Amino acid sequence: MLKNYFKIAFRNLWRHRGFSFLNIGGLAVGMAAAFLILLYVGFELSYDTMFPKKERIYMLVSDLKTPSDSYQIPVVDWSVLGKITPQFPEIIYSTRIDDMDLSIQKGAENFVEKRALAADSTFFKIFDLKLLKGNPDEALRAPLSLVLSQTGAQKYFGSENPLGKSLKIMNGEYTAQITGVMEDLPKNTQIQADYLLSLSTFTKIIDPSLDESWANYEPRGYMLLSEQANPTKLVSKINAYLEEVDGEKMKASNLFIKQDMEPIADIYLYSTRIGSGIPNINNVYIFGVVALFILLIAGINFINLTTARSVERAKEVGIRKVIGAQKKQLMLQFVGESLIITILAFILGIALATLALPYFNTLAGQAVALGIFSNWSYVGLFFGIALAIGLAAGTYPALVLSSFRPVSVLKGKFSTTRSGGFLRKALVVSQFSVSIILIIGTLIIYNQMHFMQSQNLGFAKDRLLVLDTDNNAKQQLLADYLKTNPNIISIGKGSTVPGGGGENSSALSIMQNSQGQDQTLTVDRYVIDDTYLDQLDINLIAGRNFSREFASDSTQALIVNEKVVDLLGYSSAEKALGASFDQWGKKGHIVGVVANFHSASLQNQIEPLSFVYDTKQSRLLTLKISPSNVSETLAYVEKSWKRFMPNTHFEYYFLDEFFDRQYRAEQRFSNLFLNFAVLAIFISCLGLLGLASYSTKQRRREIGIRKIVGASVPGIVNLLSKEFIKLVGIAFLIAVPIAWYGMQNWLQDFAYRIDIPVWIFAVAGILAIGIAMLTVSFQAIKAAIANPVKSLRTE
C-alpha cells in the first residue's frame, strides 16, 4: 500500500508540474534563505564563546563621573588591575591588552602591522589559545618578547621555525625575540591579532611610569574569576577598595571612578560603552525575525496551495471510499504525500543554500560558515521544520476530504467550504502583511543609511590622501619635497584623522569652567600642526589657530570644540577663550574654539575634543590633492616615499573612503536585509500566482459565460483581481503600525537619525498592490483571453 501511495504522490506531482514547481520551489527558496540567516545569527551569537573558560572571563570597564558629565568607557587605567588582583582571591588571573600599530622590519623594508596587541604574560592563562611553538607561561613574560600567529610567522619566516629568532620593531629601535607561534585567531572574536608583544616592553623599557600612573585610560582589562566568585559582590568590593586607596585623588581632581564587569561573551552583542559601537544584538534580533517571516511566508504558501489543490481530489477520495478505503488510510495518504513534498523541498533548499553560501559570505562581509554542514544541528532543525510544515499542510485536507460522503462527491455536489476559503484568505493577508513590513523596513533602512552618509560632517574629507609615517625622522623632508608637486595643494600633519585613523587617545583634562573653578573632563586629543584645521575645513568660530609665530603654542595652547565649551558652562565660544587647562603635563590657556564636527560616525554623539600643537608627534601626513591626474599624483607620492623612507612599506588611504568604513557593518546589514526582503516578496508572489491560477481555474465556466454575454477583457481581469487587491489592502492596514513600531525602535540606536516620513508607507502600499496586481493579472489576462467555448465544455 505504501508503494501505491508513493506512486500516486509522484504521479500527481508530475501531472501538475507547474503547480508542483511553485509549491516545492517556493518552500525550498524560503528554507534556503532562512537557513542562511540562521548561519549568520549563529555566527554572531558565537562571538568570544570559543574560550574554554568563557563563563569566568570578564572585562573590567570604567564609569567616570565629573561635576558636569559622565562617561562609560570599555578600558581601564594602567594601574588598576595591578592594585586589585593581589587583593581579591576571586581574581585568579588578570591581563591588560593594548591595541597598537607595530612596525616590523624585514630585511631592508619596514611594515606597519595593524593587527597587533601588547599583552601581559597572563594572556594565555586566561584565554587558553593554543601555542603551536613555545611555552605559554613564559612566551610574554620578558620585555621584547613577540608571539606570532601562523599567518605572521609565514609572512616573516616562511617555512622556517621562527622560535628563538628575532625581528627589528618600532622603526628598528628595538629587537624582539620570537617566543611563540599561535594558531590564527578565529574571526568571531574581538581579540584579533597576528602579533602579540609583551606589555612589559612598555612598562619596563619604554615608559616605566605606566604601572604607577592613575586615570591614564588606554588598555582593555580582562580577569579570570574563580568558580565560586560572585561578580556582583566582587565589583562592590573592588569599588570600595579603590575608594579607600584612590579616594583622595578622586576628590582632588573631581573625577570619580567606578569599575564594572562585563562577561566576555556579552560584550560584542550587548555592550553600549563608548568605542563599542551600536549593540549588534539588535541586528541579530531583526535577522532572526526576518528568518521567521520568510519561513512563515513559505509555510503559508505551501499550506495554502496544498489545501487549495486538495479540493480537486474529492472524486478520487469518493472512489477510494466506495472501494473500501478507511478514513485512517486516507488521512495517512494525504499527510504522507505532503511530507514527501516537504522533504523534496528540504533537499532542494539545502542544495540552494549550498550554492548561495559563497555569495552570502561576500554579502555578509565575512565567512559566517565554511559549509552548509558545518553545524549539523541546524540541518536537523530545518528537517524538523520541513516535517512540521508537511504535517500542517497535510492534516487539513486529510481531515476534510476523508470525511466526505462518497455519494455526494461522486454526484459532483462537493464545493469548497467557507472555512477553507476563509483560511486561505487569512493566510494571504498574513503573508502580505509580512511582505509589506519588510518593504517598509527596507525603505527606512536605506533612508537612514543615505542620511548618515550624506550629512554635513562639519569637515571636508574629499581629495585628502593620508600617509602614516609612524613618526619617521625623515617625515618633514618628505613633506617639503611633496610640496613641490603642483598637484599637491597643501600638506598638513596630525596624530589622528576623523574616522579613527592614526592614534586615538582620550586625555583626562582639568579646565577652568564658567564659574572660575577647575573642572575635570575626559576629552579626545588630536595632536596637529598649524595647517590641519584649514586643510580639513574645520570651522574656527572663536579665537585663533595655532601659529609658528607663537613659540608657546607647542606647550601652553589648546583648541577645543563647542562640546567642551558647553560642558564648561560658557554661554558662548568667545567667553571660553583664555580659560586655563592642565592636560598630560601641559598647562596653559584655550586659544581657539572650533565648531562641532563628526569625528566619528553619526551612530554616536559628538564628543568633547581638544587639539594640541606638536609637529614632532604628528605621525600622519594629510595631502590635499588636485582632482586631476590622481594616478600620476599617487605614483609621484610613492616614488617620493621610497626616496626618503626606502625601508618603510608604502601605504596610503583616502579619508573619505576611510571614514565611510565605519558604516560597513550597517551597509552590510542593509544589503542583507534588502536581499532577504526581495526573497520574501518573491516567495509571496509565487504563492499568490498559484492561488490566482487555482481561483481562475475554479471560475473558468463563469468567465466563459461572462465573455459570451459581452464582458470585456479588462472587466474580467478586474473581476478576478479585485478580491486579491482587497486582501493586500487589509494586509497593508495590519502591517503599517507593526512596521512603524519596529523600525522606530531600531532607529533609537542611532544618535542622529531620520524621522520616518509618511511617504514611505504610501510607497510600500503602492509597491505591494503593484506587485500583487502584476502577479494576479498574469493569470487573469490568460483566463480572460481564453476561448469561452473551451471553458464551457463539460468534463
Side-chain angles (χ1 to χ4, degrees):
M1 184 169 290
L2 285 175
K3 181 180 178 182
N4 181 255
Y5 287 163
F6 276 105
K7 187 183 293 185
I8 292 172
F10 283 108
R11 279 179 180 173
N12 274 316
L13 287 174
W14 184 249
R15 186 181 306 149
H16 306 286
R17 292 184 290 276
F19 182 86
S20 299
F21 170 77
L22 289 177
N23 214 9
I24 296 174
L27 183 57
V29 170
M31 295 189 75
F35 190 87
L36 291 175
I37 293 177
L38 181 63
L39 289 177
Y40 173 83
V41 169
F43 178 82
E44 293 288 287
L45 292 174
S46 71
Y47 254 78
D48 293 316
T49 59
M50 71 289 299
F51 304 119
K53 302 167 187 171
K54 61 182 180 295
E55 294 86 1
R56 297 191 284 133
I57 301 176
Y58 286 79
M59 184 176 179
L60 192 69
V61 292
S62 308
D63 296 334
L64 312 182
K65 185 171 179 57
T66 68
S68 60
D69 210 356
S70 60
Y71 310 88
Q72 291 185 318
I73 56 178
V75 292
V76 295
D77 78 55
W78 282 94
S79 64
V80 67
L81 285 173
K83 292 175 184 175
I84 65 174
T85 302
Q87 297 296 323
F88 300 101
E90 297 98 320
I91 305 174
I92 306 299
Y93 297 112
S94 65
T95 189
R96 294 166 296 182
I97 297 175
D98 192 27
D99 298 276
M100 63 181 299
D101 292 342
L102 182 64
S103 66
I104 299 179
Q105 186 174 327
K106 180 184 180 183
E109 192 171 13
N110 267 343
F111 293 86
V112 178
E113 302 293 355
K114 304 291 185 182
R115 286 172 52 89
L117 297 172
D120 280 315
S121 60
T122 49
F123 178 85
F124 290 105
K125 292 182 180 293
I126 293 177
F127 295 106
D128 284 326
L129 297 175
K130 184 178 180 181
L131 270 189
L132 304 176
K133 292 178 173 37
N135 182 348
D137 294 336
E138 300 294 330
L140 293 173
R141 187 173 299 280
L144 296 172
S145 298
L146 185 62
V147 174
L148 309 178
S149 70
Q150 288 173 285
T151 298
Q154 176 67 31
K155 178 176 180 178
Y156 287 101
F157 295 98
S159 58
E160 296 179 44
N161 181 1
L163 210 62
K165 292 184 169 60
S166 61
L167 286 171
K168 292 280 189 180
I169 64 171
M170 300 181 183
N171 291 321
E173 282 189 58
Y174 302 97
T175 300
Q177 186 178 34
I178 312 304
T179 55
V181 177
M182 64 181 179
E183 288 186 333
D184 285 346
L185 290 165
K187 299 293 184 184
N188 53 340
T189 175
Q190 293 189 93
I191 300 172
Q192 289 293 332
D194 287 319
Y195 309 90
L196 290 175
L197 181 64
S198 57
L199 197 65
S200 57
T201 304
F202 293 91
T203 58
K204 302 296 184 188
I205 297 176
I206 297 175
D207 188 358
S209 66
L210 283 175
D211 279 340
E212 305 300 325
S213 63
W214 179 77
N216 183 358
Y217 291 89
E218 191 169 348
R220 287 179 278 164
Y222 293 90
M223 302 182 300
L224 176 67
L225 304 186
S226 66
E227 294 181 0
Q228 296 77 30
N230 183 320
T232 305
K233 292 181 179 179
L234 179 58
V235 166
S236 299
K237 291 195 290 183
I238 288 173
N239 285 323
Y241 173 74
L242 292 176
E243 173 68 29
E244 182 182 333
V245 298
D246 291 331
E248 292 303 318
K249 294 178 184 177
M250 294 186 202
K251 291 175 184 176
S253 60
N254 265 334
L255 176 67
F256 299 93
I257 306 165
K258 295 287 186 184
Q259 306 298 151
D260 202 355
M261 293 192 299
E262 295 182 350
I264 190 171
D266 291 351
I267 296 168
Y268 174 72
L269 291 176
Y270 296 96
S271 183
T272 58
R273 292 180 175 271
I274 297 171
S276 299
I278 292 178
N280 291 290
I281 191 62
N282 297 328
N283 290 352
V284 172
Y285 286 151
I286 288 172
F287 276 122
V289 170
V290 170
L292 288 175
F293 277 178
I294 290 175
L295 274 179
L296 180 65
I297 290 172
I300 285 172
N301 270 359
F302 186 81
I303 294 170
N304 232 347
L305 295 176
T306 301
T307 55
R309 284 288 300 169
S310 65
V311 174
E312 296 184 1
R313 299 180 64 183
K315 289 188 177 180
E316 176 193 335
V317 172
I319 292 171
R320 284 182 176 276
K321 295 192 80 169
V322 166
I323 61 177
Q326 300 296 314
K327 183 176 181 178
K328 188 181 295 184
Q329 292 174 315
L330 291 170
M331 290 181 66
L332 179 63
Q333 178 187 350
F334 279 100
V335 172
E337 287 183 12
S338 181
L339 287 173
I340 290 171
I341 295 172
T342 53
I343 290 171
L344 288 174
F346 166 76
I347 294 170
L348 179 59
I350 291 296
L352 290 174
T354 302
L355 293 173
L357 184 60
Y359 170 73
F360 178 72
N361 283 335
T362 302
L363 203 61
Q366 54 195 345
V368 297
L370 298 177
I372 292 299
F373 300 104
S374 57
N375 193 322
W376 280 98
S377 63
Y378 293 171
V379 179
L381 172 64
F382 271 79
F383 184 72
I385 291 172
L387 295 180
I389 293 173
L391 286 172
T395 299
Y396 175 78
L399 289 172
V400 174
L401 295 181
S402 62
S403 302
F404 293 159
R405 292 180 61 199
V407 174
S408 300
V409 171
L410 293 174
K411 285 182 178 180
K413 293 182 179 180
F414 171 76
S415 61
T416 56
T417 63
R418 287 186 179 180
S419 61
F422 177 79
L423 175 64
R424 283 190 289 278
K425 289 178 181 178
L427 292 176
V428 169
V429 169
S430 298
Q431 74 174 180
F432 261 87
S433 295
V434 170
S435 297
I436 293 168
I437 289 171
L438 292 175
I439 292 173
I440 293 171
T442 301
L443 291 173
I444 291 173
I445 290 170
Y446 173 81
N447 275 272
Q448 175 63 21
M449 290 302 301
H450 178 73
F451 170 79
M452 290 195 299
Q453 293 179 319
S454 62
Q455 276 292 97
N456 179 9
L457 298 172
F459 72 94
K461 57 185 173 70
D462 298 328
R463 297 187 290 113
L464 268 177
L465 184 69
V466 183
L467 309 176
D468 189 347
T469 66
D470 198 23
N471 294 319
N472 191 290
K474 293 185 178 180
Q475 181 199 67
Q476 187 58 49
L477 292 175
L478 173 64
D480 292 339
Y481 186 79
L482 290 172
K483 289 177 183 177
T484 62
N485 188 309
N487 288 326
I488 299 175
I489 300 168
S490 63
I491 297 179
K493 293 181 182 180
S495 63
T496 314
V497 290
E503 296 175 346
N504 300 290
S505 57
S506 295
L508 186 66
S509 309
I510 299 172
M511 300 184 190
Q512 184 181 6
N513 63 23
S514 60
Q515 305 300 316
Q517 300 170 335
D518 286 343
Q519 182 172 322
T520 302
L521 298 174
T522 298
V523 299
D524 290 339
R525 184 177 186 266
Y526 283 19
V527 181
I528 65 172
D529 69 354
D530 54 321
T531 65
Y532 184 93
L533 298 181
D534 292 333
Q535 196 178 43
L536 272 71
D537 289 336
I538 296 173
N539 187 21
L540 190 69
I541 60 175
R544 64 175 178 84
N545 194 358
F546 297 127
S547 173
R548 297 174 187 268
E549 297 178 4
F550 297 93
S552 60
D553 275 5
S554 62
T555 57
Q556 300 175 16
L558 191 73
I559 295 175
V560 299
N561 67 349
E562 289 177 283
K563 181 70 173 180
V564 172
V565 173
D566 293 340
L567 291 175
L568 294 175
Y570 291 104
S571 57
S572 67
E574 287 78 9
K575 291 185 177 180
L577 298 176
S580 63
F581 77 90
D582 183 347
Q583 182 186 85
W584 282 9
K586 284 189 175 183
K587 296 182 180 181
H589 298 87
I590 295 174
V591 300
V593 178
V594 299
N596 284 337
F597 66 93
H598 293 278
S599 59
S601 87
L602 272 74
Q603 296 167 343
N604 304 312
Q605 294 282 355
I606 291 175
E607 299 297 331
L609 175 62
S610 67
F611 298 91
V612 297
Y613 181 55
D614 188 342
T615 58
K616 294 180 180 178
Q617 296 301 318
S618 303
R619 63 185 293 168
L620 304 180
L621 289 182
T622 54
L623 284 59
K624 175 81 79 173
I625 65 173
S626 169
S628 58
N629 303 319
V630 173
S631 58
E632 292 179 16
T633 305
L634 285 174
Y636 177 82
V637 171
E638 182 175 7
K639 184 179 178 181
S640 303
W641 178 282
K642 289 180 178 178
R643 174 179 176 178
F644 290 95
M645 304 179 190
N647 297 330
T648 303
H649 186 66
F650 175 68
E651 290 184 359
Y652 70 90
Y653 54 86
F654 285 97
L655 183 56
D656 55 350
E657 295 174 0
F658 182 82
F659 192 88
D660 289 343
R661 289 179 192 176
Q662 298 175 103
Y663 301 116
R664 279 184 179 175
E666 293 305 315
Q667 192 66 58
R668 287 196 295 264
F669 169 76
S670 175
N671 291 337
L672 284 170
F673 192 94
L674 172 63
N675 276 264
F676 286 116
V678 170
L679 264 180
I681 294 164
F682 171 73
I683 296 167
S684 295
C685 290
L686 287 181
L688 198 59
L689 182 65
L691 279 178
S693 175
Y694 168 75
S695 177
T696 303
K697 191 173 182 179
Q698 290 290 98
R699 302 176 69 176
R700 63 189 182 279
R701 291 185 181 177
E702 176 192 343
I703 294 168
I705 294 171
R706 285 180 180 275
K707 287 197 70 175
I708 287 173
V709 298
S712 65
V713 170
I716 292 173
V717 170
N718 179 60
L719 173 71
L720 295 174
S721 302
K722 66 181 181 181
E723 182 180 352
F724 290 102
I725 302 306
K726 286 179 184 178
L727 297 178
V728 174
I730 294 170
F732 175 77
L733 295 177
I734 294 171
V736 165
I738 297 173
W740 180 88
Y741 177 78
M743 296 314 297
Q744 190 69 24
N745 284 340
W746 180 75
L747 287 170
Q748 297 307 308
D749 289 325
F750 296 86
Y752 301 90
R753 53 185 176 268
I754 61 170
D755 293 322
I756 300 177
V758 175
W759 66 262
I760 281 181
F761 299 104
V763 168
I766 292 169
L767 279 174
I769 292 173
I771 290 167
M773 278 291 292
L774 285 173
T775 305
V776 173
S777 296
F778 173 76
Q779 288 295 332
I781 293 171
K782 184 179 176 182
I785 63 176
N787 188 338
V789 175
K790 291 183 179 180
S791 302
L792 293 173
R793 282 177 181 169
T794 57
E795 295 178 359

